[in-house]
């Protein structure tokens, strides 16, 4: 049976392709999701996608990882830097999460340099544009193949 992965995107990522293309590129979220789904299928992974601008909706979706998913790729957007509620939700499901950022957050504004969710994620990938998601998919596939815990 294929492992099931959730690809979760937070605030403003619905605007990819339009929002600051010099930072995030011109690919839309739908383009990136299609790319992830194709690569996931090549690796025997079934991928579901969810995006919300709301913290509560993201937390509710994280909770579904308890029963519905084997792991998660998560670009929490600005919530990365201050949402302890999202951090606690990730910790509570005890599944591997890979934190993703399209831009190199360490080359940007100071407030982006700290993540409150990193300590409860299996790893962090940043700075490779849309390819950050593909790198996260490869990493998560390896974690699941090895049977590693969160």
């Amino acid at each position: 049976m294929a492992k099931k992965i959730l690809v979760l995107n937070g605030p403003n990522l619905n605007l990819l392709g339009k929002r600051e293309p010099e930072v995030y590129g011109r690919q839309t979220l739908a383009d990136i999701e299609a790319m992830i789904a194709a690569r996931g299928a090549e690796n025997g992974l079934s991928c579901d996608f969810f995006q919300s601008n709301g913290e509560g909706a993201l937390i509710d979706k994280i909770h579904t990882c308890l029963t519905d998913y084997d792991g998660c790729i998560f670009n929490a957007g600005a919530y990365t830097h201050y949402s302890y509620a999202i951090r606690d939700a990730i910790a509570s499901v005890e599944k591997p999460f890979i934190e993703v950022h399209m831009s190199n957050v360490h080359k940007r504004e100071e407030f982006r340099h700290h993540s409150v969710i990193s300590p409860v994620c299996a790893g962090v990938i940043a700075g490779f544009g849309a390819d950050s998601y593909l790198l996260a998919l490869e990493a998560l596939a390896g974690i699941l193949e090895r049977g590693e815990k969160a």
Side-chain angles (χ1 to χ4, degrees), residues 55 73 134:
E55 185 177 33
I73 296 167
L134 297 180

Side-chain angles (χ1 to χ4, degrees), residues 33-50:
E33 289 174 349
M35 182 177 69
I36 296 166
R39 182 71 59 86
E42 291 171 11
N43 286 294
L45 300 171
S46 171
C47 300
D48 287 348
F49 302 93
F50 183 80

Side-chain angles (χ1 to χ4, degrees), residues 17-148:
K18 297 176 184 167
R19 175 185 175 220
E20 300 178 79
E22 67 283 357
V23 174
Y24 300 106
R26 299 215 178 271
Q27 289 177 293
T28 67
L29 185 56
D31 295 336
I32 293 169
E33 289 174 349
M35 182 177 69
I36 296 166
R39 182 71 59 86
E42 291 171 11
N43 286 294
L45 300 171
S46 171
C47 300
D48 287 348
F49 302 93
F50 183 80
Q51 185 278 329
S52 178
N53 294 316
E55 185 177 33
L58 292 167
I59 291 168
D60 289 342
K61 195 65 177 176
I62 290 167
H63 290 171
T64 68
C65 289
L66 279 167
T67 55
D68 298 350
Y69 298 100
D70 297 294
C72 181
I73 296 167
F74 190 17
N75 184 341
Y79 288 134
T80 300
H81 313 294
Y82 67 88
S83 179
Y84 294 104
I86 286 177
R87 180 246 177 253
D88 290 349
I90 293 169
S92 72
V93 299
E94 298 181 342
K95 298 283 177 85
F97 274 65
I98 306 291
E99 177 184 341
V100 170
H101 302 282
M102 295 177 71
S103 67
N104 180 348
V105 293
H106 299 287
K107 289 177 75 174
R108 298 185 65 198
E109 302 92 341
E110 182 69 29
F111 77 89
R112 296 184 196 276
H113 297 184
H114 179 72
S115 167
V116 299
I117 68 171
S118 290
V120 294
C121 290
V124 179
I125 298 175
F128 298 98
D131 287 343
S132 292
Y133 289 93
L134 297 180
L135 293 167
L137 186 67
E138 296 292 330
L140 188 53
I143 288 168
L144 295 173
E145 186 176 304
R146 293 186 300 272
E148 293 177 16

